[in-house]
Amino acid sequence: MLDKSRLRIAMQKSGRLSDESQKLFASCGIKINLQQQRLIAFAENMPIDILRVRDDDIPGLVMDGVVDLGIIGENVLEEELLSRRAQGEDPRYTTLRRLDFGGCRLSIAMPLDAEYTGPQCLQNSRIATSYPHLLKRYLDEQKVRFKSCLLNGSVEVAPRAGLADAICDLVSTGATLEANGLREVDVIYRSKATLIQRDGEISDEKQELINKLLTRMQGVIQARESKYIMLHAPNDRLEEIVALLPGAERPTILPLAGDKNRVAMHMVSSETLFWETMESLKKLGASSILVLPIEKMME
Ligand code: ATP
Ligand code: MG
């Protein structure tokens, strides 16, 4: 029997979001033993149960209040929201945090030889997609009438198979489209993974645990996006050097033994340093430039 006092989190069992979701839980200090075939994994060191399901089921589990939290692609979440609204429901949930993985775009693609000058070219066409509601919302705004052909997989073969004139599908690199003789013509939705919470009453203990997890996630994500930078700099170029560093806070300045003209600078930057910036730093007289990853941060 499931213990309702434990926080229940739904994640994708296997697929593009599962590794990153698992990594995020681990870096937040949740110890779980994910055995391959188990639907539920119990955290060893916190009152948390992880439910591992198909990603399509996650928005519904949160909206129906079956789980407390879920990690899901915004594309799937938004499609479920529109679908439920179309059926007269008023689904509720709260977005806690947009995450830094699962990035992709939902795009319209057409055969390479088809002409496309704008959404009007799709007037009265047949479009294959797994996201009929997101597609309809976009084309309704453009006042384009179309027929959708609902396919839950292999959407990219629909034009070649004569099932549709165009497709609307997820793209990250575009390699799949190219392999199927298709060209991306319009981006209709940009998505990332996101953490959502169910609506309604929640015990103080659970809410406290959620807040703790959120703070930890914030620290993990911020650390992943930041770098620790160390370099040696001539005393008279310090301001110019700091100005080159993206999103850096004020640096720590330390003396260099036996060198009165130069100092060591340490700082946290909110972005990585590109080679071009490192080359410009070098031109200003900086040397021994080190860019290090940061594991955790707390402000
Ligand atoms: P499931 O078996 O859980 O239903 P799935 O096959 O529907 O899995 P995946 O292909 O694993 O789903 O994708 C899950 C999510 O990953 C997508 O909904 C999307 O948010 C995100 N994603 C990131 N990049 C891509 C991509 N290139 N193609 C498809 N989805 C991507
Ligand atoms: Mg799915």
Side-chain angles (χ1 to χ4, degrees), residues 4-297:
K4 288 223 162 156
S5 67
R6 289 169 67 88
L7 187 72
R8 260 195 243 173
I9 312 180
M11 66 170 268
Q12 188 186 25
K13 180 163 195 247
S14 77
R16 288 187 160 96
L17 302 179
S18 44
D19 282 357
E20 289 288 345
S21 305
Q22 212 168 303
K23 255 201 319 203
L24 186 63
F25 293 144
S27 44
C28 287
I30 309 176
K31 284 205 180 122
I32 1 169
N33 181 5
L34 291 180
Q35 282 169 1
Q36 282 309 311
Q37 293 308 320
R38 286 193 36 194
L39 169 68
I40 303 176
F42 305 99
E44 295 162 13
N45 58 339
M46 291 188 216
I48 297 176
D49 296 340
I50 309 277
L51 227 77
R52 300 157 72 225
V53 292
R54 293 275 314 259
D55 71 339
D56 316 61
D57 296 333
I58 296 173
L61 289 170
V62 175
M63 290 167 186
D64 294 336
V66 180
V67 298
D68 302 303
L69 304 181
I71 292 184
I72 184 64
E74 289 166 328
N75 52 317
V76 174
L77 174 64
E78 191 80 7
E79 179 69 21
E80 180 70 20
L81 182 69
L82 295 176
S83 156
R84 288 192 175 213
R85 282 194 186 142
Q87 289 164 42
E89 283 182 46
D90 179 23
R92 307 230 162 215
Y93 64 88
T94 314
T95 299
L96 295 182
R97 199 187 199 290
R98 205 172 192 222
L99 303 171
D100 63 343
F101 57 87
C104 58
R105 50 195 193 270
L106 185 62
S107 292
I108 297 175
M110 295 186 83
L112 290 173
D113 54 5
E115 195 192 344
Y116 187 84
T117 47
Q120 295 306 324
C121 296
L122 297 166
Q123 204 64 257
N124 300 317
S125 62
R126 179 182 281 272
I127 308 176
T129 188
S130 316
Y131 297 90
H133 293 95
L134 283 169
L135 177 62
K136 182 170 173 353
R137 179 170 72 182
Y138 177 74
L139 289 181
D140 280 355
E141 278 167 12
Q142 309 289 328
K143 310 223 171 356
V144 170
R145 289 162 57 98
F146 73 104
K147 286 204 192 75
S148 68
C149 161
L150 183 65
L151 289 180
N152 284 314
S154 307
V155 176
E156 64 283 353
V157 302
R160 239 188 317 146
L163 296 175
D165 308 302
I167 68 164
C168 170
D169 202 9
L170 292 177
V171 183
S172 52
T173 61
T176 311
L177 292 183
E178 205 177 311
N180 285 282
L182 298 171
R183 167 172 73 102
E184 185 176 4
V185 294
D186 207 347
V187 177
I188 73 163
Y189 189 80
R190 288 186 193 275
S191 176
K192 280 199 164 182
T194 187
L195 175 72
I196 55 173
Q197 178 175 343
R198 73 170 167 83
D199 207 33
E201 280 277 300
I202 204 147
S203 70
D204 290 349
E205 291 80 19
K206 271 193 185 179
Q207 194 55 54
E208 238 170 71
L209 181 55
I210 293 173
N211 295 346
K212 179 152 106 178
L213 289 179
L214 260 184
T215 310
R216 290 187 181 186
M217 275 184 198
Q218 176 71 20
V220 170
I221 294 171
Q222 205 183 341
R224 286 206 282 236
E225 288 167 352
S226 303
K227 293 283 176 264
Y228 194 83
I229 299 168
M230 300 197 278
L231 52 84
H232 293 174
N235 289 339
D236 54 351
R237 311 300 290 267
L238 297 187
E239 285 307 319
E240 286 166 88
I241 286 177
V242 172
L244 273 183
L245 296 165
E249 295 190 5
R250 296 305 300 168
T252 305
I253 306 268
L254 301 162
L256 274 179
D259 189 343
K260 285 210 166 57
N261 301 320
R262 286 148 35 93
V263 289
M265 288 171 81
H266 287 200
M267 67 220 95
V268 172
S269 165
S270 59
E271 293 165 39
T272 194
L273 271 198
F274 291 108
W275 284 110
E276 291 75 13
T277 314
M278 292 183 63
E279 284 152 9
S280 309
L281 288 169
K282 194 128 187 92
K283 277 193 195 128
L284 287 174
S287 61
S288 307
I289 308 170
L290 295 183
V291 181
L292 309 173
I294 298 173
E295 194 183 279
K296 293 190 184 77
M297 274 170 103

